[in-house]
């Protein structure tokens, strides 16, 4: 009886070791670059029998096996710096006391053996130190960005025993998660990175957090600027060129008419992609102006010919002496946008617009007048990668205008080509000179299409 307890202890320990060995996962590297993961069931001099994760068995001839690893560290890409200053990325697939074996591509059999005394350091490419902060309606997640190239980060979330699902993408090491979050509910999070080779890293550490209940106030974090504010010391903005076209109806001196313009300029925006409610946009616009007035029915060209009606179209043309002056306008627009829809890819915004316009003739240095007024602008930003945004905006404006100049009018049943910059070939050019003060109200629509280049401006900032 005195040997029973030691015997039982030995048998128990032996069973535990056997179970541990049985549960252990091996990764068998084949000489053609393939990697088979499973559990070694049996082996001899000729072959190794593996139980695959699906439960099937596979016999692998030893002649096809390069090595067997018992750790999953090789699955994470590393950044390797050599003592000569060279940096590169790869997978450390084997390590001995004196050297590393490295693959540039995990499933490529080409390998490079580098002595350890030629390597300054190695660092795994995976997000680390993930933390979750409570904000209104969801969570603000932050993590450490690893060394090496990063195309984007993908945030995964799950509730209870559900599988993880991707809920957000970010180009910075932080992201807000609000969509799909329920009040007073516990969630788990992890983050993976995707690099320029579309390699997706193993997950970061896992964090658990419970969302706020209705009426609860988010805690104050001393080391955090929760809520999507810009990091201290950094200015976020986007700037770039745009092209435009506009048309409107104006009522000057008791007569109605149409006005158009075409041109382009520069946009500066404080939040083209950033996940904040408000953005401030200023644009400087240089355009060619075209003005038409109708003294009768507002039908011109082929409409008159088709219906057999007559309508006198007054095309306003400006002269200084005998020289034609084509009016140019310089617009300064100030808009405040409210982000109605905000995602990493799209920002849809709406807000008021204040416009000041100076109209002049640059080629003859002739001052013509000014306009000013208010409007509303609707915008759509499409964010392409880390730096570029396509922006589309449409505005409706009410402007009061005042002009004083010498001008000449042309009366015809059709629009005279020279009014839009074409030569008068088949049309007469009767002129009637006058001095006048043009003033009145106009309602105008404007469409802008531009390309913005972002600086410290990403959805997660």
């Amino acid at each position: 009886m005195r040997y029973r307890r030691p015997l039982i202890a030995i048998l128990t320990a032996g069973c535990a070791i056997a179970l541990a060995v049985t549960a252990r996962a091996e990764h068998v590297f084949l000489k053609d670059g393939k990697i088979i993961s499973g559990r070694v069931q049996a082996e001899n001099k000729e072959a190794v029998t593996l139980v695959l994760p699906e439960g099937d068995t596979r016999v692998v001839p030893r002649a096809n096996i390069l090595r067997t690893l018992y750790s999953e560290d090789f699955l994470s890409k590393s950044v390797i710096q050599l003592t000569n200053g060279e940096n590169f990325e790869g997978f450390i697939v084997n390590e001995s006391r004196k050297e590393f074996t490295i693959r540039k591509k995990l499933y490529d059999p080409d390998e490079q053996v580098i002595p350890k005394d030629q390597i300054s350091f190695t660092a795994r490419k995976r997000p680390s130190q993930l933390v979750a902060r409570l904000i209104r309606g969801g969570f603000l997640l932050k993590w450490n960005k690893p060394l090496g190239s990063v195309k984007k980060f993908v945030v995964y979330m799950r509730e209870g025993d559900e599988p993880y699902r991707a809920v957000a993408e970010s180009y910075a090491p932080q992201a807000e998660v609000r969509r799909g979050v329920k009040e007073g509910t516990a969630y788990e999070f992890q983050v993976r990175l995707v690099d320029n080779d579309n390699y997706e890293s193993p997950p970061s550490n896992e964090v658990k957090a419970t969302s706020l209940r209705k009426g609860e106030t988010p805690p104050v974090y001393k080391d955090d600027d929760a809520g999507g504010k810009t990091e201290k010391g950094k200015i976020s903005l986007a700037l770039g060129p745009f092209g435009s076209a506009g048309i409107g109806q104006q009522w000057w001196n008791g007569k109605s008419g149409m006005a158009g313009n075409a041109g382009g300029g520069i946009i500066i925006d404080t939040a083209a992609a950033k996940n904040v409610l408000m953005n401030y946009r200023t644009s400087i616009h240089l355009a060619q102006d075209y003005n038409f007035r109708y003294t009768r029915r507002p039908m011109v060209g082929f409409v008159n010919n088709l219906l057999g009606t007559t309508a006198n179209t007054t095309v306003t043309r400006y002269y200084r002496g005998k020289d034609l002056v084509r009016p140019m306008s310089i617009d300064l627009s100030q808009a405040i946008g409210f982000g109605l829809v905000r995602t990493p890819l799209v920002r849809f915004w709406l807000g008021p617009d204040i416009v000041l316009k100076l109209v002049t003739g640059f080629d003859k240095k002739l001052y013509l007048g000014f306009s000013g007024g208010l409007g509303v602008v609707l915008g759509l930003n499409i964010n392409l990668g880390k730096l570029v945004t396509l922006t589309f905006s449409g505005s409706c404006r009410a402007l009061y205008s005042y002009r004083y100049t010498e001008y000449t009018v042309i009366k015809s049943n059709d629009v005279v080509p020279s009014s839009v910059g074409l030569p008068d070939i088949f049309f007469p050019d009767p002129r009637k000179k006058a001095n006048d003060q043009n003033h009145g109200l106009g309602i105008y629509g404007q469409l802008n299409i531009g390309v913005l280049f972002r600086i410290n401006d990403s959805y997660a900032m």
Side-chain angles (χ1 to χ4, degrees), residues 127-131 140-146 153-155 169-176 191-193 204-205 460:
S128 61
Q129 298 186 27
L130 174 65
V131 296
L140 174 64
L141 303 177
K142 287 191 171 186
W143 56 89
N144 282 352
K145 177 183 177 181
F153 295 98
V154 183
V155 178
E169 292 184 358
S170 173
Y171 303 110
Q174 65 179 47
E176 289 186 9
V191 179
R192 298 172 183 258
L193 72 83
S204 66
N205 60 297

mmCIF file of all heavy atoms in Angstrom, residues 127-131 140-146 153-155 169-176 191-193 204-205 460:
data_model
loop_
_atom_site.group_PDB
_atom_site.id
_atom_site.type_symbol
_atom_site.label_atom_id
_atom_site.label_comp_id
_atom_site.label_asym_id
_atom_site.label_seq_id
_atom_site.Cartn_x
_atom_site.Cartn_y
_atom_site.Cartn_z
ATOM 1 N N PRO A 127 0.441 45.047 -33.796
ATOM 2 C CA PRO A 127 0.062 46.088 -32.833
ATOM 3 C C PRO A 127 0.202 45.569 -31.411
ATOM 4 O O PRO A 127 0.020 44.380 -31.142
ATOM 5 C CB PRO A 127 -1.400 46.380 -33.187
ATOM 6 C CG PRO A 127 -1.582 45.857 -34.570
ATOM 7 C CD PRO A 127 -0.663 44.691 -34.701
ATOM 8 N N SER A 128 0.503 46.468 -30.487
ATOM 9 C CA SER A 128 0.695 46.066 -29.096
ATOM 10 C C SER A 128 0.108 47.112 -28.160
ATOM 11 O O SER A 128 -0.208 48.229 -28.566
ATOM 12 C CB SER A 128 2.190 45.881 -28.803
ATOM 13 O OG SER A 128 2.896 47.091 -29.004
ATOM 14 N N GLN A 129 -0.028 46.726 -26.893
ATOM 15 C CA GLN A 129 -0.514 47.607 -25.826
ATOM 16 C C GLN A 129 -1.838 48.277 -26.195
ATOM 17 O O GLN A 129 -2.015 49.481 -26.046
ATOM 18 C CB GLN A 129 0.552 48.652 -25.476
ATOM 19 C CG GLN A 129 1.829 48.033 -24.959
ATOM 20 C CD GLN A 129 2.842 49.052 -24.482
ATOM 21 O OE1 GLN A 129 2.470 50.145 -24.073
ATOM 22 N NE2 GLN A 129 4.120 48.703 -24.524
ATOM 23 N N LEU A 130 -2.767 47.475 -26.683
ATOM 24 C CA LEU A 130 -4.111 47.969 -27.007
ATOM 25 C C LEU A 130 -4.854 48.334 -25.725
ATOM 26 O O LEU A 130 -4.851 47.571 -24.756
ATOM 27 C CB LEU A 130 -4.882 46.888 -27.772
ATOM 28 C CG LEU A 130 -6.355 47.161 -28.066
ATOM 29 C CD1 LEU A 130 -6.504 48.352 -28.998
ATOM 30 C CD2 LEU A 130 -7.009 45.916 -28.673
ATOM 31 N N VAL A 131 -5.466 49.527 -25.713
ATOM 32 C CA VAL A 131 -6.281 49.972 -24.575
ATOM 33 C C VAL A 131 -7.605 50.486 -25.125
ATOM 34 O O VAL A 131 -7.696 50.931 -26.276
ATOM 35 C CB VAL A 131 -5.587 51.060 -23.739
ATOM 36 C CG1 VAL A 131 -4.331 50.532 -23.088
ATOM 37 C CG2 VAL A 131 -5.276 52.282 -24.594
ATOM 38 N N LEU A 140 -13.104 54.456 -27.691
ATOM 39 C CA LEU A 140 -11.921 54.939 -28.395
ATOM 40 C C LEU A 140 -10.795 53.963 -28.082
ATOM 41 O O LEU A 140 -10.418 53.783 -26.927
ATOM 42 C CB LEU A 140 -11.540 56.340 -27.939
ATOM 43 C CG LEU A 140 -10.223 56.877 -28.514
ATOM 44 C CD1 LEU A 140 -10.293 57.037 -30.013
ATOM 45 C CD2 LEU A 140 -9.828 58.194 -27.852
ATOM 46 N N LEU A 141 -10.274 53.307 -29.109
ATOM 47 C CA LEU A 141 -9.207 52.325 -28.960
ATOM 48 C C LEU A 141 -7.884 52.946 -29.388
ATOM 49 O O LEU A 141 -7.815 53.661 -30.394
ATOM 50 C CB LEU A 141 -9.491 51.089 -29.809
ATOM 51 C CG LEU A 141 -10.826 50.377 -29.544
ATOM 52 C CD1 LEU A 141 -10.998 49.232 -30.509
ATOM 53 C CD2 LEU A 141 -10.900 49.878 -28.119
ATOM 54 N N LYS A 142 -6.842 52.655 -28.616
ATOM 55 C CA LYS A 142 -5.497 53.128 -28.946
ATOM 56 C C LYS A 142 -4.520 51.971 -28.780
ATOM 57 O O LYS A 142 -4.713 51.102 -27.931
ATOM 58 C CB LYS A 142 -5.088 54.301 -28.048
ATOM 59 C CG LYS A 142 -5.799 55.609 -28.372
ATOM 60 C CD LYS A 142 -5.139 56.760 -27.629
ATOM 61 C CE LYS A 142 -5.672 58.093 -28.101
ATOM 62 N NZ LYS A 142 -4.947 59.236 -27.506
ATOM 63 N N TRP A 143 -3.460 52.010 -29.596
ATOM 64 C CA TRP A 143 -2.459 50.955 -29.521
ATOM 65 C C TRP A 143 -1.130 51.511 -30.012
ATOM 66 O O TRP A 143 -1.060 52.619 -30.548
ATOM 67 C CB TRP A 143 -2.890 49.751 -30.365
ATOM 68 C CG TRP A 143 -3.164 50.088 -31.797
ATOM 69 C CD1 TRP A 143 -2.286 50.097 -32.834
ATOM 70 C CD2 TRP A 143 -4.430 50.506 -32.344
ATOM 71 N NE1 TRP A 143 -2.904 50.483 -33.991
ATOM 72 C CE2 TRP A 143 -4.224 50.725 -33.732
ATOM 73 C CE3 TRP A 143 -5.712 50.693 -31.816
ATOM 74 C CZ2 TRP A 143 -5.252 51.137 -34.578
ATOM 75 C CZ3 TRP A 143 -6.731 51.104 -32.654
ATOM 76 C CH2 TRP A 143 -6.507 51.319 -34.024
ATOM 77 N N ASN A 144 -0.087 50.732 -29.822
ATOM 78 C CA ASN A 144 1.244 51.119 -30.293
ATOM 79 C C ASN A 144 1.442 50.631 -31.724
ATOM 80 O O ASN A 144 1.174 49.475 -32.045
ATOM 81 C CB ASN A 144 2.336 50.535 -29.403
ATOM 82 C CG ASN A 144 2.490 51.313 -28.108
ATOM 83 O OD1 ASN A 144 1.888 52.373 -27.935
ATOM 84 N ND2 ASN A 144 3.275 50.779 -27.190
ATOM 85 N N LYS A 145 1.941 51.529 -32.558
ATOM 86 C CA LYS A 145 2.223 51.180 -33.945
ATOM 87 C C LYS A 145 3.589 50.512 -34.028
ATOM 88 O O LYS A 145 4.574 51.045 -33.515
ATOM 89 C CB LYS A 145 2.205 52.443 -34.804
ATOM 90 C CG LYS A 145 2.558 52.218 -36.262
ATOM 91 C CD LYS A 145 2.576 53.535 -37.009
ATOM 92 C CE LYS A 145 2.998 53.335 -38.461
ATOM 93 N NZ LYS A 145 3.047 54.618 -39.194
ATOM 94 N N PRO A 146 3.696 49.348 -34.671
ATOM 95 C CA PRO A 146 5.001 48.689 -34.774
ATOM 96 C C PRO A 146 5.873 49.342 -35.833
ATOM 97 O O PRO A 146 5.420 50.185 -36.607
ATOM 98 C CB PRO A 146 4.622 47.254 -35.176
ATOM 99 C CG PRO A 146 3.353 47.424 -35.950
ATOM 100 C CD PRO A 146 2.620 48.572 -35.291
ATOM 101 N N PHE A 153 -4.879 49.700 -40.254
ATOM 102 C CA PHE A 153 -5.178 48.847 -39.112
ATOM 103 C C PHE A 153 -6.648 48.429 -39.202
ATOM 104 O O PHE A 153 -7.490 49.209 -39.650
ATOM 105 C CB PHE A 153 -4.943 49.590 -37.795
ATOM 106 C CG PHE A 153 -3.514 49.964 -37.543
ATOM 107 C CD1 PHE A 153 -3.043 51.238 -37.834
ATOM 108 C CD2 PHE A 153 -2.628 49.038 -37.011
ATOM 109 C CE1 PHE A 153 -1.728 51.594 -37.603
ATOM 110 C CE2 PHE A 153 -1.300 49.382 -36.778
ATOM 111 C CZ PHE A 153 -0.846 50.668 -37.070
ATOM 112 N N VAL A 154 -6.914 47.206 -38.780
ATOM 113 C CA VAL A 154 -8.285 46.687 -38.767
ATOM 114 C C VAL A 154 -8.653 46.337 -37.336
ATOM 115 O O VAL A 154 -7.917 45.590 -36.667
ATOM 116 C CB VAL A 154 -8.431 45.446 -39.674
ATOM 117 C CG1 VAL A 154 -9.886 44.975 -39.689
ATOM 118 C CG2 VAL A 154 -7.960 45.754 -41.089
ATOM 119 N N VAL A 155 -9.765 46.898 -36.855
ATOM 120 C CA VAL A 155 -10.237 46.663 -35.491
ATOM 121 C C VAL A 155 -11.297 45.558 -35.512
ATOM 122 O O VAL A 155 -12.240 45.617 -36.311
ATOM 123 C CB VAL A 155 -10.827 47.952 -34.886
ATOM 124 C CG1 VAL A 155 -11.365 47.681 -33.484
ATOM 125 C CG2 VAL A 155 -9.770 49.050 -34.846
ATOM 126 N N GLU A 169 -11.704 50.489 -39.621
ATOM 127 C CA GLU A 169 -10.370 50.570 -40.199
ATOM 128 C C GLU A 169 -9.795 51.946 -39.898
ATOM 129 O O GLU A 169 -10.534 52.916 -39.778
ATOM 130 C CB GLU A 169 -10.401 50.330 -41.715
ATOM 131 C CG GLU A 169 -10.772 48.911 -42.099
ATOM 132 C CD GLU A 169 -10.687 48.688 -43.605
ATOM 133 O OE1 GLU A 169 -10.382 49.669 -44.334
ATOM 134 O OE2 GLU A 169 -10.920 47.556 -44.052
ATOM 135 N N SER A 170 -8.481 51.997 -39.776
ATOM 136 C CA SER A 170 -7.843 53.261 -39.423
ATOM 137 C C SER A 170 -6.462 53.306 -40.051
ATOM 138 O O SER A 170 -5.823 52.272 -40.260
ATOM 139 C CB SER A 170 -7.735 53.394 -37.908
ATOM 140 O OG SER A 170 -6.992 54.533 -37.551
ATOM 141 N N TYR A 171 -6.019 54.545 -40.356
ATOM 142 C CA TYR A 171 -4.663 54.741 -40.861
ATOM 143 C C TYR A 171 -3.727 55.251 -39.769
ATOM 144 O O TYR A 171 -2.533 55.418 -40.011
ATOM 145 C CB TYR A 171 -4.688 55.728 -42.027
ATOM 146 C CG TYR A 171 -5.602 55.295 -43.145
ATOM 147 C CD1 TYR A 171 -6.789 55.962 -43.405
ATOM 148 C CD2 TYR A 171 -5.285 54.186 -43.926
ATOM 149 C CE1 TYR A 171 -7.640 55.545 -44.414
ATOM 150 C CE2 TYR A 171 -6.129 53.763 -44.929
ATOM 151 C CZ TYR A 171 -7.299 54.451 -45.179
ATOM 152 O OH TYR A 171 -8.138 54.033 -46.183
ATOM 153 N N ALA A 172 -4.272 55.488 -38.589
ATOM 154 C CA ALA A 172 -3.492 55.939 -37.433
ATOM 155 C C ALA A 172 -3.677 54.910 -36.321
ATOM 156 O O ALA A 172 -4.622 54.119 -36.348
ATOM 157 C CB ALA A 172 -3.949 57.323 -36.984
ATOM 158 N N PRO A 173 -2.798 54.913 -35.301
ATOM 159 C CA PRO A 173 -2.907 53.906 -34.238
ATOM 160 C C PRO A 173 -3.994 54.218 -33.223
ATOM 161 O O PRO A 173 -3.768 54.167 -32.021
ATOM 162 C CB PRO A 173 -1.510 53.926 -33.611
ATOM 163 C CG PRO A 173 -1.020 55.302 -33.847
ATOM 164 C CD PRO A 173 -1.573 55.727 -35.170
ATOM 165 N N GLN A 174 -5.186 54.529 -33.692
ATOM 166 C CA GLN A 174 -6.350 54.701 -32.842
ATOM 167 C C GLN A 174 -7.596 54.696 -33.715
ATOM 168 O O GLN A 174 -7.523 54.951 -34.920
ATOM 169 C CB GLN A 174 -6.277 55.993 -32.030
ATOM 170 C CG GLN A 174 -6.310 57.259 -32.854
ATOM 171 C CD GLN A 174 -6.268 58.498 -31.998
ATOM 172 O OE1 GLN A 174 -5.455 58.602 -31.087
ATOM 173 N NE2 GLN A 174 -7.146 59.441 -32.262
ATOM 174 N N ALA A 175 -8.725 54.380 -33.119
ATOM 175 C CA ALA A 175 -9.979 54.335 -33.871
ATOM 176 C C ALA A 175 -11.151 54.429 -32.906
ATOM 177 O O ALA A 175 -11.069 53.961 -31.764
ATOM 178 C CB ALA A 175 -10.080 53.041 -34.686
ATOM 179 N N GLU A 176 -12.215 55.043 -33.369
ATOM 180 C CA GLU A 176 -13.460 55.092 -32.614
ATOM 181 C C GLU A 176 -14.393 54.003 -33.127
ATOM 182 O O GLU A 176 -14.495 53.777 -34.330
ATOM 183 C CB GLU A 176 -14.129 56.458 -32.754
ATOM 184 C CG GLU A 176 -13.408 57.561 -32.023
ATOM 185 C CD GLU A 176 -14.167 58.870 -32.069
ATOM 186 O OE1 GLU A 176 -15.336 58.863 -32.531
ATOM 187 O OE2 GLU A 176 -13.612 59.905 -31.659
ATOM 188 N N VAL A 191 -6.710 44.152 -32.474
ATOM 189 C CA VAL A 191 -6.354 44.910 -33.671
ATOM 190 C C VAL A 191 -5.298 44.143 -34.449
ATOM 191 O O VAL A 191 -4.391 43.534 -33.862
ATOM 192 C CB VAL A 191 -5.824 46.315 -33.304
ATOM 193 C CG1 VAL A 191 -5.423 47.086 -34.559
ATOM 194 C CG2 VAL A 191 -6.867 47.094 -32.525
ATOM 195 N N ARG A 192 -5.410 44.177 -35.764
ATOM 196 C CA ARG A 192 -4.395 43.622 -36.654
ATOM 197 C C ARG A 192 -3.950 44.716 -37.618
ATOM 198 O O ARG A 192 -4.704 45.654 -37.893
ATOM 199 C CB ARG A 192 -4.940 42.438 -37.463
ATOM 200 C CG ARG A 192 -5.401 41.242 -36.603
ATOM 201 C CD ARG A 192 -6.095 40.223 -37.471
ATOM 202 N NE ARG A 192 -6.616 39.100 -36.709
ATOM 203 C CZ ARG A 192 -6.042 37.899 -36.640
ATOM 204 N NH1 ARG A 192 -4.924 37.671 -37.324
ATOM 205 N NH2 ARG A 192 -6.563 36.931 -35.927
ATOM 206 N N LEU A 193 -2.749 44.584 -38.145
ATOM 207 C CA LEU A 193 -2.289 45.526 -39.169
ATOM 208 C C LEU A 193 -2.244 44.826 -40.520
ATOM 209 O O LEU A 193 -2.076 43.613 -40.610
ATOM 210 C CB LEU A 193 -0.921 46.112 -38.819
ATOM 211 C CG LEU A 193 0.332 45.238 -38.912
ATOM 212 C CD1 LEU A 193 0.896 45.144 -40.331
ATOM 213 C CD2 LEU A 193 1.418 45.772 -37.987
ATOM 214 N N SER A 204 -3.305 41.809 -31.904
ATOM 215 C CA SER A 204 -2.701 42.435 -30.730
ATOM 216 C C SER A 204 -3.214 41.738 -29.476
ATOM 217 O O SER A 204 -3.971 40.758 -29.545
ATOM 218 C CB SER A 204 -3.085 43.912 -30.692
ATOM 219 O OG SER A 204 -4.497 44.027 -30.477
ATOM 220 N N ASN A 205 -2.825 42.267 -28.350
ATOM 221 C CA ASN A 205 -3.425 41.795 -27.105
ATOM 222 C C ASN A 205 -4.931 42.074 -27.119
ATOM 223 O O ASN A 205 -5.411 42.968 -27.831
ATOM 224 C CB ASN A 205 -2.771 42.497 -25.916
ATOM 225 C CG ASN A 205 -2.934 44.007 -25.979
ATOM 226 O OD1 ASN A 205 -2.430 44.644 -26.893
ATOM 227 N ND2 ASN A 205 -3.632 44.582 -25.002
ATOM 228 N N ALA A 460 -9.097 58.579 -37.908
ATOM 229 C CA ALA A 460 -8.930 58.226 -36.492
ATOM 230 C C ALA A 460 -8.322 59.345 -35.659
ATOM 231 O O ALA A 460 -8.246 59.226 -34.443
ATOM 232 C CB ALA A 460 -8.077 56.982 -36.363
#
